Amino acid sequence: MALINLKDLLNHASKNKYAVGAFNVTSINFIDPIMEAAIESNSPVIMQLAEVHFRYLNLEHIAPAIIRAAKEVSIPVCINLDHGKNFDTIIRAIRAGFTSVMFDCSEEPLDINIAKTKEIVKIAHSVGVGVEGEIGNIGGEAVGIAAPTPHEASAESFTKVGDAVRFYEETGVDALAISVGNVHGTYKGEPNLDFERIEKINNAIPIPIVLHGGSGISDNDFKKAISLGISKINFYTEMSASAVKAARIFLNENPDCISYGDLAKIVQADVKKTVMGRMEVFGSKNITASDKTLCISCDESSCGLTEPQFKPDAKTVVYDSLVDLITKEVLQSMRK
Ligand code: 13P
């Protein structure tokens, strides 16, 4: 019952000055601890799958598990495709039941990014699925066994306020990922976020803005960024590294271990701890507590999440046949 689309969720976060954590799933063992963390924290949550992580998981196999977990809880859960690069991936995610898709065409010139993102928005919105776009460049998502080489954001790739306005107006995206000193993976030195730019972009466009590359950013910087308008924070590398560290300690302490199930339990407990900690810092903790109200659909304060009045966007349901239709027509036109 609690599947929700990106627009409804982030609009609430934006209005109420908190950020929703978007946690990348790279193993089936991440689903339950992320959900448990959200339930125990009384927090909305975004679970996401990055296209670059398809090497770890099969999109069509994992989606039903995430959707099932999300439907069983009363907190709002958005299922997002992270950094969808290809048209086919976007359609596959919509078809698999994701409630939002990020289309990342940020490496292309702005005109091309706008033209392609606009098409994706048309398709996704026709079936009630939200779209996150990106301008400015944040660099590659963490992938691979070893820690990625630390890097720092180059000011040249920072999102320009004027571009953000044009991108929003011409594409109609529901949320915008911005480049403001944030990078994926590990930072070279201390992250140096351009807070003034965050504030200016937030004041210039009426849609929620998104901070990628959450790992390595300090709690204080998160809080400041949220106070200036960040409503969604993507977080992965630190969660993964911490889980691996916990597994390593466990294996050192239990050299005779042959039980993958027990090892997975260690990983799950660590993921849950990390996610709960982030939810507290992001200010989303207790947003859905029974003494609070979370009315996504209107401004009435009486609309508690557990109340029957709670109505996520009615179009959140994905209509397979419609997607089929769109797929055939649009796939052809986009592949020309
Ligand atoms: P980190 O891995 O740096 O936390 O970034 C995650 C992210 O932005 C996913 O899109």
Side-chain angles (χ1 to χ4, degrees), residues 24 48 82-83 141-142 183-185 212-215 234-237:
N24 290 73
Q48 57 185 14
D82 188 28
H83 294 282
E141 185 99 44
V183 298
H184 289 116
H212 282 238
S215 300
N234 285 18
F235 196 86
Y236 170 63
T237 304

Side-chain angles (χ1 to χ4, degrees), residues 23-74:
F23 302 96
N24 290 73
V25 172
T26 53
S27 157
I28 194 161
N29 286 314
F30 285 15
I31 301 174
D32 286 348
I34 294 172
M35 288 306 303
E36 281 169 22
I39 292 163
E40 282 179 37
S41 301
N42 275 314
S43 166
V45 69
I46 298 170
M47 268 199 272
Q48 57 185 14
L49 225 66
E51 184 173 333
V52 75
H53 290 152
F54 286 4
R55 68 187 71 190
Y56 304 130
L57 286 169
N58 178 305
L59 169 72
E60 280 76 17
H61 293 179
I62 201 74
I66 302 178
I67 292 166
R68 175 66 194 256
K71 282 185 172 171
E72 280 177 1
V73 296
S74 60

Side-chain angles (χ1 to χ4, degrees), residues 256-278:
D256 298 333
C257 173
I258 55 158
S259 164
Y260 176 73
D262 283 279
L263 181 62
K265 279 281 197 210
I266 298 295
V267 165
Q268 288 180 322
D270 197 79
V271 167
K272 181 174 169 184
K273 197 169 110 206
T274 303
V275 172
M276 286 183 82
R278 292 306 88 194

Side-chain angles (χ1 to χ4, degrees), residues 284-306:
S284 66
K285 185 177 172 182
N286 284 335
I287 286 293
T288 64
S290 53
D291 62 330
K292 292 262 177 67
T293 55
L294 175 53
C295 183
I296 302 286
S297 309
C298 64
D299 289 328
E300 298 288 326
S301 59
S302 61
C303 182
L305 245 194
T306 51

